[in-house]
Amino acid sequence: MEFRLLEAFVRSVQLRDDKIARFDSYPFSIPSIRDLGTLEIDPKVTLFLGENGSGKSTLIEAIAVALGFNPEGGTKNFRFSTRRSESELWRYLRVVRGVRKPRTGYFFRAESFFNVATEIEHLDEEGGYGDRIIDAYGGESLHEQSHGEAFLALAQNRFGPNGLYILDEPEAALSPNRQLALLALIHDLVQEGCQFLIATHSPILLAYPDALLYELSEKGIRRVEYEETEHFRVTRDFLLNRERFFRELFRR
């Protein structure tokens, strides 16, 4: 894949390891973080995958915070804090930006989207901000929709052209069909000049054509092809041989 660096909002991410005093404490004790070095970022879609605890959410959160987003999610205008839980990793990242600046952007994280929805309601109740904030999300309270419907309302209404979108496990509340709908939306937005950085477990989202995939593991971080990922192999093998899987899983 040839990187078109001048077209990217984010060109690369580098760990400033010369500034780190100790590598035996969190988050630098995580092998993928310790091994980060310099990561090139695709101008369209970059995906981070790995087991729970591999560091992918820690990394994508740090990138978002280093770029000025609220740790719990939202646009750069959100400044609320429900409970401070972000790591200090963002302080040790150098994010290299392109010459093109995003017109808009959003940091979505599945685990704290409830907090964002609550903050939107709070700000709209306070008033004084012109139009209601919720109108930019489709006009219906995000709390009055399912988690999946609320996320799709966000993506369909709030995401727009020439935007930088950082998503942490967006598939968490989406059915397979809705994940396919999200893929189509991502593709439409990419055609309109958007850039996506996504941490995910979903073999559907990981299949986005020509995306750049980074696998995080106890061995560090490396670039992989889709068919090399455990997510692809396990899902394929299970669907083709589920009786064999059941025999192994239920043998005890």
Side-chain angles (χ1 to χ4, degrees), residues 99-168:
V99 296
R100 190 168 66 102
K101 298 184 182 301
R103 184 185 66 83
T104 185
Y106 208 94
F107 174 36
F108 170 85
R109 56 186 316 170
E111 68 177 29
S112 57
F113 188 48
F114 178 93
N115 302 341
V116 175
T118 301
E119 178 68 5
I120 291 171
E121 288 193 349
H122 173 69
L123 293 173
D124 280 342
E125 287 171 1
E126 281 190 340
Y129 299 95
D131 295 336
R132 295 190 313 162
I133 298 173
I134 194 61
D135 289 338
Y137 294 73
E140 181 182 353
S141 169
L142 298 174
H143 282 314
E144 295 177 6
Q145 305 176 61
S146 72
H147 191 180
E149 289 172 332
F151 171 66
L152 285 179
L154 159 69
Q156 291 167 346
N157 294 284
R158 182 58 185 78
F159 291 5
N162 296 307
L164 172 62
Y165 301 110
I166 303 175
L167 313 179
D168 184 18

Side-chain angles (χ1 to χ4, degrees), residues 71-72 80-86 115:
E72 293 188 45
F80 72 96
S81 178
T82 305
R83 181 180 181 275
R84 190 179 183 278
S85 60
E86 70 273 16
N115 302 341

